[in-house]
Amino acid sequence: SICLLIVLIGIYLHSRAVFPATPEHPVAGTFDLVKLAGPAMRAELGAAGEHFGAGKAFFLLAMAAFLIKLPCAPLHTWLPDAHVQAPTPISMILAALLLKMGGYGIFRIAYPLFPDAARHFWMLFAILGVGSIIYGALVAMAQSDFKRLVAYSSVSHMGYVVLGAAMMTPAATSGALFMMVAHGITSAAMFFIVGIIYDRANHREIGRFGGLSGTMPLYTGLSSVAFFASLGLPGLCGFIGEVLVLLGTFQAARPDSILMIWASARNVDPHGAIVALASIACFGVVLTAAYMLWTLQRVFFGAARPEHRAYPEISRLEISVLAPLAAMAIALGILPSLFVFTFTDATVRTMFSIFS
């Protein structure tokens, strides 16, 4: 919040030189995001030059604020404990809605206001995105607490959003925006799944579950949809965002991409670095499938434990929450353009007009 407040005050103070007081507007300066994204402000902030101007400083501060909110490793440390301590409805709201404000800030504020700085620091945030994907997946795989595992999976999935923003290709940006919507559905479903079994077992230790498919088959079926959507199975919502971000990352290595044009003007060739980052990010898909399938097997399948036989099947109220989330995961996986891209395409085109 302090980082964002500094940006808010600083960019307003700089805007007073670009937008002086007039009879129509007696107060100098503006908070209008459209005006602040114009070329006059970019020149005022010094972002177009090679020196470390105010624009680059404000961009780094804004990105720090939004990456904490997202969250992105290593700025993620508040999230797992917050989820573990929060009741199920709060975890659902936090993961499905509030985390997305970080991504919103990146695409609505940081990149449109400071496009030159975004190009200058693309490698830093691409590395943070890929690192978050791999780190979140590996740490999730090591968890014994069901809810903490889901929390770390959010860190991994939000890494795709950071990577998609850093690559600055239409496919990667569209995939990052779609990923925020898809993760809002799958994360809410996953935390609700944890809440259902916690209400019955009064614990979240994965090693103490097993064989729930025989006792709670409907719960197992709906949970399987959420698990497969979260791991990115084709035909479900998690697949679309991940594959677009990965394809867009590889496309950033093309000679006509924003990053390659920017780098060629500075006699730099980032082709190898982009391909390496994209390849490492692809490995994150494998890790996600590994910990999700392993968790699904340990919780729902295998030999049934005697203490689980008394667990009641999910109620109609619980079905009324989980079934619509499962239906949305399927709908977005089958018809992504109808539900998401129809609303985001214009935003992506406007953003890339700023970078041109």
Side-chain angles (χ1 to χ4, degrees):
S1 298
I2 293 173
C3 293
L4 201 55
L5 180 62
I6 293 171
V7 175
L8 182 69
I9 296 172
I11 198 169
Y12 172 75
L13 294 177
H14 277 275
S15 72
R16 295 189 300 179
V18 180
F19 304 102
T22 63
E24 294 81 10
H25 301 281
V27 178
T30 182
F31 287 111
D32 189 324
L33 286 172
V34 177
K35 293 181 180 179
L36 293 175
M41 275 300 298
R42 291 166 67 177
E44 166 66 22
L45 294 173
E50 291 302 318
H51 63 285
F52 192 88
K56 292 183 175 68
F58 288 157
F59 175 74
L60 291 175
L61 287 170
M63 287 297 290
F66 297 135
L67 291 183
I68 291 170
K69 183 67 175 175
L70 197 61
C72 176
L75 307 175
H76 69 287
T77 51
W78 64 272
L79 179 72
D81 289 334
H83 274 307
V84 168
Q85 298 298 327
T88 297
I90 302 304
S91 290
M92 294 173 67
I93 294 172
L94 175 62
L97 297 177
L98 300 184
L99 298 187
K100 308 309 177 289
M101 294 307 297
Y104 174 85
I106 291 173
F107 290 110
R108 185 68 178 88
I109 297 174
Y111 272 58
L113 295 191
F114 314 107
D116 300 288
R119 280 187 291 234
H120 186 82
F121 292 109
W122 75 269
M123 176 73 81
L124 170 63
F125 294 104
I127 292 173
L128 287 175
V130 173
S132 190
I133 293 169
I134 302 300
Y135 171 83
L138 289 173
V139 177
M141 190 180 295
Q143 298 305 307
S144 59
D145 185 296
F146 199 175
K147 199 173 191 181
R148 193 176 287 270
L149 181 147
V150 177
Y152 276 106
S153 75
S154 293
V155 175
S156 180
H157 286 121
M158 288 298 97
Y160 288 99
V161 178
V162 180
L163 178 62
M167 289 297 104
M168 287 183 280
T169 61
T173 303
S174 297
L177 294 175
F178 191 93
M179 193 71 189
M180 290 194 290
V181 178
H183 182 261
I185 295 170
T186 57
S187 63
M190 291 296 295
F191 279 112
F192 191 67
I193 288 166
V194 175
I196 289 174
I197 197 61
Y198 180 75
D199 287 342
R200 289 156 173 76
N202 293 318
H203 71 84
R204 294 188 299 264
E205 289 296 318
I206 296 174
R208 295 172 60 185
F209 294 120
L212 291 178
S213 59
T215 305
M216 307 170 68
L218 182 57
Y219 170 63
T220 302
L222 292 173
S223 299
S224 298
V225 175
F227 270 83
F228 286 122
S230 186
L231 66 84
L233 184 72
L236 298 173
C237 63
F239 172 76
I240 306 296
E242 289 183 6
V243 74
L244 280 177
V245 170
L246 295 175
L247 288 174
T249 302
F250 281 108
Q251 289 173 3
R254 293 178 177 176
D256 60 344
S257 72
I258 289 174
L259 294 182
M260 291 298 289
I261 293 173
W262 177 86
S264 64
R266 289 152 181 81
N267 297 318
V268 179
D269 185 10
H271 181 276
I274 293 173
V275 173
L277 288 169
S279 302
I280 296 171
C282 289
F283 186 63
V285 177
V286 180
L287 293 176
T288 302
Y291 72 75
M292 281 292 179
L293 291 175
W294 190 30
T295 304
L296 186 68
Q297 188 272 333
R298 287 183 292 168
V299 173
F300 295 98
F301 300 104
R305 296 175 181 265
E307 62 268 26
H308 298 164
R309 294 172 184 169
Y311 293 172
E313 181 62 281
I314 54 175
S315 65
R316 292 182 179 179
L317 181 61
E318 292 167 335
I319 293 173
S320 69
V321 175
L322 194 54
L325 292 172
M328 285 190 285
I330 297 171
L332 263 69
I334 297 174
L335 297 171
S337 297
L338 179 62
F339 294 105
V340 178
F341 295 137
T342 300
F343 305 99
T344 61
D345 283 348
T347 300
V348 174
R349 286 195 298 270
T350 301
M351 178 177 295
F352 282 92
S353 69
I354 297 173
F355 284 104
S356 61

